[in-house]
Every structure is written in C-alpha cells, then in structure tokens.
Amino acid sequence: MELVRATEAAAIGASSWVGRGRKEIADGAAVDAMRAFLGTVAFDGTVVIGEGEKDHAPMLFNGERVGTGDGPACDIAVDPIDGTSLTATGRAGALSVIAVSDRGSMYDPSAVFYMDKLAAGPEGRGVVSLEQSVGDNIRELARALGKHPSDLRVAVLDRPRHEGLVDEIRTAGAGTRLLSDGDVGGGIDAARHGSPIDLCLGIGGTPEGIITACAIKALGGVLQGRLAPRDEAEAKKATDAGHDLTRILDLDDLVAGDNTYFVATGVTGGDLLRGVERTSRVIRTESIVLRSASGTLRRISAEHLPEKW
C-alpha cells in the first residue's frame, strides 16, 4: 500500500497536464510527487532504473537511495509516467509505475538502451521464443490457446522500425494492436488473463523490459529479450562490458529470484487501468499490485479528497 500511494501521487500529479501538450511538465510533476512519497516508505531502496538528472536537479536518478533506510534492502525501478506522449496528447494507456525486487537482483540496463522483446501469458511458456520466426510464434501460440491465428492480437509499438514486423504478423494471419507509446502496459496485457492482447513483440526500451519482467513474474507468463544496439559504438560498448548480443535473456536474467513487486496507477484510461478522474468532490484512481511470491494481482480503487491530497 505504501508503494501504491507513490504511484497514485505521481498519477494525480500528472493528471492536471493530460492533453495539454507539455510532456516535460507532466513528467516533472509525476517525478516530484513520486519521490516525495517514496521517501516515507520503510525500506532501504536503491534506484537501479530511474529518471536521471533533469534541469540540474536530481530526481530519482540511478543510484539514488530512497525510503526511510529501515527494512529490506531493495532494487527499485521507477517510471513516474510510462507514456509521457500519451499523457501530453490525452491518449489512452499512460501509467505511473514502480517495480521492486531484492537488492542486486535487477539486470543492469545501462550498456544498451533497446532490446528486442517477446511477452505472452502462461500458455506461451515453452511455446514461443525469440529463436523462432514471427509466423511460427503466432501459429504455435494460437495452437496452445485453442485459437486460430486470425483470432490473435499482437501488440507492437508503432514505430518505423517495426514496419517489417507488422507485415510478418499480418502475413501470418494475426491482427495488430499498434501502441503509440508505453510498452510496459503492452507486455503486461499480453501476459494478463482476459486481456484482448495475446502477444507483444518488437524493439523497446531495456529498462521497460526489466520493469515488465517484475510484473510478468507474478502473472506466470513469459518474457524474453535480446539486446538491440542502435549503432556500432553502442554494440562495442556492450561487448566491452561483457554482454553477449546474441544471448536471449529470460525472466530470471532480467530480474532474479521470486520476490518482486510491481505497482501501477492509471494516468490516462486504457485496457489495463482506468485513468485519473477528477470530480467536484473527489479524485478517483485505479491501481494494480502484482506480487511474484504469491502470484496475486490486486486491483485498488481509491477516492481522494482534493483538499487532503
């Protein structure tokens, strides 16, 4: 619940800027609110995936210590707004996100910013893989789900780099759900029971992949990643740091152990969560909490009195 208070605060802070075209200001409001609430949580947290330093002011930067310093030692990954462009334009799917795991358990994403990712639900374990073609993954997953390939929907970030991928998906008979931003939500939707998304594919941020891994561990799904350097210089940096660019990273590579928490609050409404709703009397939020040790997904609906928030 303490972590939920932090994502609620970030989402509420950003909500005043939804649709106003000022994504930097929206992100700054979310960061300030999340950072203030994380300072009250009883744990010794180190930010492994954070915001960096903006405008010469440290705000949830990598290596920052958060929490009261008491309690368990944890790795923290934060994304005060996953989907700043969605927030700025008023589109669906923006989230405020925190992921937590035991100290030293999160993969260091600093060598390469992007990775090729694949996410699916429990039925995809041992069935889909980045080693297989897109068509084979769609056909094998459809068989495991008891569906026809034409019934499958595949989430893909809407980027020029994915034009060929989208063609492969459609050639295999499946449909696409193009995401304008925010592939954390896309990966979770692919693994979540009852979601309209069956599979999530494509190149997205390595930090977002690690955050998503914390959630998918609780959902029992599958997530694979392979580092995708943007150029030769980044590839050399990665190999010099000891990374194998051909290696497929699985859930345990991205976040070790079985003690992860993932918390998200909706900023703008989408398939996963309702967005922040402001009325004359209350501010409404919807959040989820996923815990890998127990395999639970909890939904939390809250009403906040504006004068006390």
Side-chain angles (χ1 to χ4, degrees):
M1 285 301 301
E2 292 179 287
L3 295 172
V4 173
R5 289 173 65 237
T7 56
E8 286 174 344
I12 292 170
S15 66
S16 297
W17 298 95
V18 170
R20 296 175 62 181
R22 306 290 295 276
K23 66 179 184 180
E24 293 86 3
I25 295 178
D27 189 53
V31 170
D32 287 344
M34 178 178 283
R35 189 168 185 250
F37 275 79
L38 277 178
T40 70
V41 179
F43 66 172
D44 179 10
T46 298
V47 177
V48 175
I49 298 170
E51 287 286 290
E53 295 188 8
K54 299 178 181 179
D55 301 324
H56 309 292
M59 298 185 294
L60 297 177
F61 58 87
N62 291 1
E64 182 177 1
R65 301 291 286 272
V66 295
T68 63
D70 300 318
C74 301
D75 283 350
I76 311 295
V78 300
D79 200 345
I81 304 181
D82 178 48
T84 52
S85 295
L86 300 176
T87 302
T89 56
R91 294 176 179 169
L95 306 171
S96 176
V97 172
I98 296 173
V100 179
S101 64
D102 293 330
R103 176 69 52 80
S105 60
M106 285 188 185
Y107 180 80
D108 180 1
S110 59
V112 180
F113 187 76
Y114 286 109
M115 64 166 38
D116 193 10
K117 291 179 278 191
L118 174 154
E123 296 85 358
R125 297 175 67 176
V127 173
V128 294
S129 171
L130 286 174
E131 294 180 319
Q132 298 178 165
S133 69
V134 171
D136 284 345
N137 278 324
I138 288 171
R139 286 185 286 272
E140 292 300 319
L141 183 59
R143 185 176 296 112
L145 292 169
K147 295 182 177 181
H148 190 273
S150 62
D151 297 324
L152 263 61
R153 292 294 175 268
V154 183
V156 182
L157 277 173
D158 189 8
R159 301 288 187 271
R161 63 177 178 265
H162 289 149
E163 289 178 0
L165 173 60
V166 169
D167 288 342
E168 287 186 78
I169 293 168
R170 293 172 178 170
T171 298
T176 55
R177 174 72 69 87
L178 297 181
L179 309 173
S180 58
D181 206 350
D183 66 341
V184 171
I188 294 171
D189 274 333
R192 183 171 58 91
H193 176 71
S195 166
I197 304 300
D198 302 289
L199 186 64
C200 186
L201 295 174
I203 295 173
T206 304
E208 287 81 0
I210 297 161
I211 291 171
T212 307
C214 290
I216 291 183
K217 278 211 163 189
L219 296 169
V222 56
L223 177 67
Q224 293 183 349
R226 182 166 49 208
L227 297 177
R230 290 170 285 186
D231 51 37
E232 291 184 6
E234 193 173 55
K236 185 177 186 305
K237 176 185 175 184
T239 54
D240 288 348
H243 293 284
D244 180 356
L245 298 180
T246 65
R247 181 186 175 192
I248 294 176
L249 304 166
D250 63 18
L251 277 174
D252 287 329
D253 295 315
L254 296 172
V255 57
D258 190 31
N259 188 31
T260 66
Y261 290 84
F262 172 91
V263 179
T265 300
V267 179
T268 60
D271 291 334
L272 184 61
L273 289 165
R274 295 196 306 270
V276 176
E277 300 173 4
R278 291 177 176 269
T279 72
S280 60
R281 294 183 60 186
V282 297
I283 303 170
R284 294 191 179 95
T285 59
E286 185 180 37
S287 307
I288 56 170
V289 181
L290 293 143
R291 185 186 179 203
S292 65
S294 57
T296 51
L297 184 158
R298 291 181 172 90
R299 289 189 176 271
I300 300 171
S301 297
E303 294 187 353
H304 312 260
L305 295 177
E307 64 271 21
K308 290 193 173 185
W309 177 77

